[in-house]
Amino acid sequence: MVDAKSVKEANRKAFLDVFPELANEVLDELRKYNMPEDAYEWTKQNLEYNVPGGKLNRGLSVVDTLYILKGDAATEEELHKARILGWLVEFLQAYFLVADDMMDASITRRGQPCWYRKDGVGTIAINDSFILESCIFLFLKKYFKGTSYYIDLVELFHDVSFQTQLGQLCDLITAPEDKVDLSKFSPQKHQFIVIYKTAYYSFYLPVVLALHMAGVHSEEAFKQCHDILIPLGEYFQVQDDYLDCYGDPAFIGKIGTDIQDNKCSWLINQALVIASPEQRKVLDENYGKKDAEAEAKVKQLYLDLNIEQIYKNYENKSYTELRTLIDQVDESTGVKKQVFIEFMDKIYKRTK
């Protein structure tokens, strides 16, 4: 009997082994341009510091999806190309995070100082994020230009980048860390932010990349993916908001800061809908303050409003609705239900 854990580890190793190859190809391009040595070394460090090191779930999802769609018919060459596309999703993520950390004045990322906070980097990180984005199109041209779906991949990355940037803009102007105004918050605005900032590039993008590789190009297939993966991505982010407040830091690997950082999270939006005028005053006076006592008052109010139970009701409702959508998938379009079941199994009732 094949050990599922061993297979997962082998797949992860095969995925990780591709990154040095891609990083070297970028550096080879710089040699062609006679890039000065200090700029060459800078770019090398930018790639190695910012692209690998995360959970890699987005990138691995491309490979997993292709294998579900094609099974043992997937050749090693196809799987290698799927790994490359997976890394391009990770390059996209790195591009967003390098810029996002500057906008949010974040301190650490993945257990190390944010790139812009490293000695000598500062605002040069803006240009470094542009380079990370440009790498995506460098690799698409090299590995996929000869395919019938090359332009589809290019347009997909452009579309998803734009969507994510719209979500980021809405987040930044709704919840600036230095100016708290809860009147700007609403469940509808939270929904827009999480769908555009997270769901498209984290859930929709990896699956549709794999669909193109598997020869599935029908609008009906893409619509089915959209109608399941976007609400699935929204559910995932709501979970994240919940775990920030109620998760065990030992499992999550970090202490939640959404309350002190004035985040437009699902919890505060639920509280604002049902709070009495007196409770709303408590939220206005204490939310978004870098103060443990103020944070404790907000958490107590969440307790009084039974926000945790509201979340559990939401989770059960979302799970039921998503399972119904998955059950209704028309596999004749080329999409397989198992693609969505895999995602669902990974995130339902997760604790980290």
Side-chain angles (χ1 to χ4, degrees):
M1 185 177 173
V2 179
D3 179 12
K5 187 178 179 184
S6 298
V7 171
K8 188 177 178 182
E9 286 173 357
N11 289 342
R12 186 180 177 86
K13 183 184 182 303
F15 186 74
L16 286 167
D17 287 346
V18 172
F19 177 72
E21 170 192 330
L22 296 179
N24 286 333
E25 287 179 16
V26 175
L27 297 174
D28 288 345
E29 285 292 316
L30 302 190
R31 291 295 189 208
K32 288 180 193 173
Y33 300 145
N34 296 316
M35 193 80 157
E37 195 62 30
D38 54 350
Y40 174 93
E41 289 298 328
W42 183 286
T43 305
K44 183 172 186 285
Q45 191 178 8
N46 175 20
L47 296 171
E48 292 172 352
Y49 195 91
N50 292 308
V51 182
K55 296 183 188 123
L56 306 179
N57 288 337
R58 294 168 180 84
L60 286 164
S61 292
V62 180
V63 189
D64 292 344
T65 301
L66 182 71
Y67 193 77
I68 290 168
L69 294 172
K70 296 202 71 171
D72 292 334
T75 65
E76 185 48 44
E77 183 186 354
E78 287 174 325
L79 290 170
H80 183 66
K81 279 193 166 184
R83 291 180 193 116
I84 290 168
L85 281 180
W87 274 112
L88 300 198
V89 179
E90 296 295 329
F91 268 87
L92 187 70
Q93 159 94 331
Y95 153 55
F96 291 147
L97 295 184
V98 168
D100 185 58
D101 286 341
M102 290 193 73
M103 293 180 235
D104 289 349
S106 298
I107 307 299
T108 59
R109 168 72 64 183
R110 296 171 177 170
Q112 59 186 6
C114 296
W115 176 244
Y116 82 95
R117 288 180 59 84
K118 280 185 63 66
D119 287 347
V121 177
T123 56
I124 299 171
I126 298 170
N127 194 65
D128 291 332
S129 75
F130 297 162
I131 289 172
L132 293 172
E133 183 195 25
S134 294
C135 288
I136 295 167
F137 301 99
L138 188 77
F139 292 125
L140 286 177
K141 183 178 178 181
K142 175 166 185 177
Y143 287 100
F144 297 93
K145 191 166 185 184
T147 67
S148 61
Y149 52 90
Y150 169 61
I151 195 63
D152 294 314
L153 300 182
V154 172
E155 289 183 349
L156 184 59
F157 272 102
H158 279 309
D159 289 346
V160 170
S161 293
F162 183 54
Q163 288 159 336
T164 308
Q165 290 152 11
L166 295 179
Q168 173 73 342
L169 172 64
C170 192
D171 192 17
L172 289 168
I173 64 176
T174 300
E177 200 170 330
D178 58 347
K179 191 172 189 297
V180 182
D181 181 359
L182 297 184
S183 67
K184 289 186 173 183
F185 289 14
S186 71
Q188 293 74 25
K189 199 171 277 189
H190 174 267
Q191 183 180 48
F192 180 91
I193 291 168
V194 301
I195 286 174
Y196 282 85
K197 187 177 174 179
T198 301
Y200 274 105
Y201 93 92
S202 299
F203 288 81
Y204 182 74
L205 174 63
V207 171
V208 175
L209 289 172
L211 286 182
H212 282 300
M213 274 204 72
V216 180
H217 307 298
S218 76
E219 287 303 318
E220 181 55 35
F222 297 150
K223 185 178 186 307
Q224 286 189 101
C225 287
H226 180 279
D227 291 350
I228 294 172
L229 292 167
I230 297 305
L232 193 62
E234 182 185 355
Y235 165 53
F236 172 83
Q237 187 57 53
V238 171
Q239 273 185 324
D240 243 27
D241 292 353
Y242 170 79
L243 290 171
D244 183 89
C245 185
Y246 292 103
D248 183 343
F251 280 104
I252 301 170
K254 64 178 182 178
I255 296 169
T257 59
D258 283 1
I259 293 172
Q260 291 196 22
D261 291 347
N262 188 39
K263 294 295 184 185
C264 182
S265 90
W266 186 85
L267 304 178
I268 183 64
N269 280 290
Q270 297 304 308
L272 289 169
V273 169
I274 59 175
S276 67
E278 293 78 14
Q279 290 169 325
R280 172 59 185 259
K281 190 167 184 290
V282 172
L283 292 172
D284 284 329
E285 290 174 352
N286 293 283
Y287 198 79
K289 286 193 173 177
K290 305 287 188 185
D291 177 85
E293 194 176 324
E295 181 184 41
K297 288 179 181 177
V298 174
K299 285 188 173 182
Q300 180 58 50
L301 193 54
Y302 285 174
L303 200 63
D304 297 341
L305 294 171
N306 209 9
I307 297 296
E308 191 167 8
Q309 187 57 52
I310 293 172
Y311 167 76
K312 287 175 179 172
N313 294 342
Y314 164 85
E315 181 175 49
N316 291 332
K317 181 172 179 284
S318 295
Y319 179 78
T320 301
E321 289 173 352
L322 285 163
R323 285 304 309 216
T324 300
L325 287 172
I326 292 168
D327 289 341
Q328 293 170 350
V329 165
D330 177 5
E331 293 193 336
S332 70
T333 62
V335 186
K336 292 190 178 177
K337 294 177 184 178
Q338 191 59 34
V339 170
F340 309 113
I341 292 169
E342 291 268 331
F343 271 102
M344 202 70 203
D345 288 347
K346 283 177 190 171
I347 68 174
Y348 181 56
K349 290 193 180 292
R350 69 188 173 100
T351 57
K352 61 181 177 179

